[in-house]
Amino acid sequence: MFEISLHKMGQAVGSYVAKKASRLEQAELLSYGAEILLGSFVKLSLLFSVAAFLHITSEVTVLLFVTGLVRILSGGAHCSAYYRCLITSIVTLTALGSALKLMQPFLSVLPAIVLYGTVLLSLYLYWRYAPQAPPNKPFENETSELAFRRCTLLAVAALSLVAIIVGTNSFMGWTTAAALLWQAFTLTPVGHKFIGSWDILLTLQSKGGEVKC
Amino acid sequence: MLKFITKPVFQTTAKVLAVVAMMNIGTTSMFMMYQPEPPKKSS
């Protein structure tokens, strides 16, 4: 049976490069790097193809930049397999982008206080729940956790300031605020349940893990 | 000639993959909601 697994593809590429570069002792590390690169390439290609088709490339670019940047520092809910993450990410980012584009005429006439409220709510959620390490990569110590917390709050404060300065008239302001709120939502217990339900919904095999995509 | 070029190309690729892998260890994946299993022991 023809099967495609990103994990296996990463392993194959990593092992091949390790052999050719005479770095056999690093095969596992190179496979991990290859898996990340391949996964990112596939995900970005698909995401931007869908975004271009829906004419929401600008919105998705800002959403991805803000959520991605904050997510590196704050962590958040994870899916248990690559293809589930791929579908969940594409669906949520394009749905958010489409909703923002559709609501832009309405959002641009909203008072600035609504934008400030959105930003403040996000700040509270990051203050309350960040940072969160994935189960397979816990924080090494409390100092490292504290550093991630400080960096998260600093990045969120800077991006909030950008949203406020840009204001309600530009798509950038609302898109940045929406991205911050969405990423904050994935840190909450409800956000974990939401991503978890997508994970269950997209489970094709009862054993889970790296399912073929 | 090809053999002469192949080795540095793969060595550079290996360096790039190692940097990507090491940058992601200890952080979370930028491209959202799936975290590949990191190697047990990185050198």
Side-chain angles (χ1 to χ4, degrees), chain A residues 51-177:
Chain A
F53 180 73
L54 296 171
H55 305 289
I56 49 166
T57 314
S58 316
E59 284 82 1
V60 167
T61 305
V62 176
L63 284 168
L64 183 68
F65 176 76
V66 175
T67 54
L69 182 71
V70 177
R71 196 177 171 81
I72 286 175
L73 304 165
S74 74
H78 282 285
C79 291
S80 57
Y82 176 77
Y83 87 98
R84 293 176 208 158
C85 160
L86 182 73
I87 296 170
T88 310
S89 309
I90 290 173
V91 169
T92 51
L93 285 180
T94 51
L96 265 175
S98 304
L100 284 164
K101 186 165 188 168
L102 213 68
M103 287 160 63
Q104 184 56 32
F106 168 71
L107 292 172
S108 60
V109 293
L110 276 181
I113 191 94
V114 183
L115 182 73
Y116 302 160
T118 312
V119 162
L120 267 178
L121 175 64
S122 305
L123 268 170
Y124 167 72
L125 292 174
Y126 287 108
W127 180 268
R128 176 91 170 73
Y129 295 108
Q132 291 174 7
N136 60 355
K137 285 200 291 187
F139 292 114
E140 283 169 17
N141 49 47
E142 273 186 26
T143 317
S144 154
E145 189 174 347
L146 189 67
F148 272 105
R149 180 175 168 76
R150 282 180 180 158
C151 290
T152 302
L153 295 175
L154 205 67
V156 171
L159 289 164
S160 301
L161 207 63
V162 169
I164 289 168
I165 290 168
V166 170
T168 55
N169 287 328
S170 163
F171 90 95
M172 271 280 287
W174 281 108
T175 311
T176 306

Side-chain angles (χ1 to χ4, degrees), chain A residues 7-78:
Chain A
H7 181 65
K8 283 180 185 167
M9 279 165 69
Q11 275 186 327
V13 172
S15 305
Y16 184 72
V17 172
K19 191 180 162 191
K20 286 283 180 184
S22 311
R23 290 185 179 204
L24 281 171
E25 73 287 354
Q26 282 193 316
E28 208 181 343
L29 184 76
L30 300 186
S31 301
Y32 180 58
E35 189 180 344
I36 292 166
L37 267 187
L38 282 171
S40 304
F41 177 74
V42 170
K43 186 172 279 181
L44 287 179
S45 307
L46 274 174
L47 176 65
F48 280 104
S49 302
V50 177
F53 180 73
L54 296 171
H55 305 289
I56 49 166
T57 314
S58 316
E59 284 82 1
V60 167
T61 305
V62 176
L63 284 168
L64 183 68
F65 176 76
V66 175
T67 54
L69 182 71
V70 177
R71 196 177 171 81
I72 286 175
L73 304 165
S74 74
H78 282 285

Side-chain angles (χ1 to χ4, degrees), chain B residues 15-29:
Chain B
K15 276 178 192 163
V16 171
L17 293 181
V19 168
V20 170
M22 282 188 281
M23 277 175 72
N24 272 269
I25 291 169
T27 69
T28 52
S29 167

Side-chain angles (χ1 to χ4, degrees), chain A residues 1-5 8-9 205 212-213:
Chain A
M1 199 178 120
F2 181 70
E3 292 176 341
I4 300 170
S5 160
K8 283 180 185 167
M9 279 165 69
Q205 291 177 2
K212 287 85 196 168
C213 52

Side-chain angles (χ1 to χ4, degrees), chain B:
Chain B
M1 181 66 181
L2 193 67
K3 207 173 178 180
F4 184 72
I5 297 168
T6 306
K7 185 106 178 169
V9 167
F10 277 105
Q11 277 175 340
T12 310
T13 312
K15 276 178 192 163
V16 171
L17 293 181
V19 168
V20 170
M22 282 188 281
M23 277 175 72
N24 272 269
I25 291 169
T27 69
T28 52
S29 167
M30 179 163 185
F31 299 110
M32 291 154 291
M33 296 148 189
Y34 172 63
Q35 189 66 52
E37 196 62 41
K40 296 280 178 280
K41 214 171 84 179
S42 57
S43 50

